[in-house]
């Protein structure tokens, strides 16, 4: 039995910056899968639970792909769920900035794309709200 899935953790200011530079359709691009930078993004963990078991079943059925991949150390990784952090403002040209609250409202309403997959708000625990994080999920799920 496994311990859980490693999931990507990314800051909203970075996603928004990429969206402004590369366009809404592309938004945030993941580094090459074979690079160390790709694996450094997998900072958080989705616990192995009934919830993740059902997500895996739904993902396999709907997306017709494997829910996770495994490295040589038997760590499981998934991109079906992403941990999003709301810790920094986005500084625009001209000295203006988008506050954390504005970024949160924007991403809760619109979601975002990562490497061609659209993510929408999934859930947030009470502890996560204190830390300024929220889980987003592949829209197909």
């Amino acid at each position: 039995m496994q311990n859980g899935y490693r999931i990507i953790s990314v800051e909203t200011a970075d996603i928004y910056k990429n969206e402004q530079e590369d366009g809404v359709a592309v938004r945030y691009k993941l580094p090459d899968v074979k690079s160390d930078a790709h694996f450094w993004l997998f900072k958080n963990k989705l616990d192995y639970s009934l919830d993740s078991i059902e997500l895996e079943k739904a993902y396999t059925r709907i997306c017709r792909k494997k829910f996770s991949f495994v490295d040589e150390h038997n760590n499981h990784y998934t991109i079906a769920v992403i941990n999003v952090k709301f810790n920094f403002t986005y500084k625009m040209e001209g000295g203006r900035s988008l506050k954390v609250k504005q970024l949160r409202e924007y991403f809760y309403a619109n979601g975002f794309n990562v490497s061609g997959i659209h993510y929408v708000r999934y859930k947030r625990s009470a502890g996560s709200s204190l830390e300024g994080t929220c889980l987003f999920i592949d829209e197909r799920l």
Side-chain angles (χ1 to χ4, degrees):
M1 185 170 110
Q2 64 170 329
N3 301 3
Y5 302 95
R6 294 180 188 261
I7 61 172
I8 292 173
S9 184
V10 66
E11 177 64 46
T12 52
D14 293 336
I15 298 171
Y16 195 80
K17 177 181 181 240
N18 280 51
E19 177 183 310
Q20 298 307 304
E21 293 173 358
D22 298 331
V24 174
V26 176
R27 292 200 186 171
Y28 195 79
K29 293 181 190 172
L30 293 177
D32 184 60
V33 176
K34 296 180 181 176
S35 72
D36 288 340
H38 181 78
F39 287 96
W40 291 334
L41 291 174
F42 289 87
K43 297 176 184 173
N44 283 66
K45 198 169 201 178
L46 180 66
D47 291 331
Y48 188 71
S49 64
L50 291 174
D51 190 31
S52 64
I53 292 168
E54 291 302 318
L55 280 177
E56 183 173 2
K57 288 178 188 175
Y59 189 85
T60 304
R61 181 176 40 81
I62 294 167
C63 302
R64 306 233 186 263
K65 296 180 185 176
K66 286 190 168 193
F67 181 71
S68 65
F69 60 94
V70 182
D71 67 10
E72 66 273 6
H73 305 290
N74 205 32
N75 295 314
H76 293 254
Y77 299 84
T78 185
I79 60 167
V81 179
I82 294 181
N83 181 61
V84 177
K85 300 179 286 186
F86 296 92
N87 295 326
F88 299 105
T89 60
Y90 173 73
K91 293 183 175 75
M92 297 183 282
E93 292 180 19
R96 292 186 46 226
S97 64
L98 284 176
K99 305 282 187 222
V100 171
K101 181 180 178 188
Q102 293 169 305
L103 287 170
R104 184 179 293 115
E105 289 171 355
Y106 175 82
F107 284 105
Y108 281 5
N110 300 309
F112 58 92
N113 291 335
V114 172
S115 298
I117 300 171
H118 188 70
Y119 291 86
V120 294
R121 183 174 178 216
Y122 178 42
K123 62 182 174 179
R124 181 174 86 168
S125 69
S128 293
S129 65
L130 293 174
E131 295 172 6
T133 63
C134 182
L135 292 179
F136 280 70
I137 192 167
D138 185 328
E139 183 178 46
R140 295 172 289 183
L141 296 174

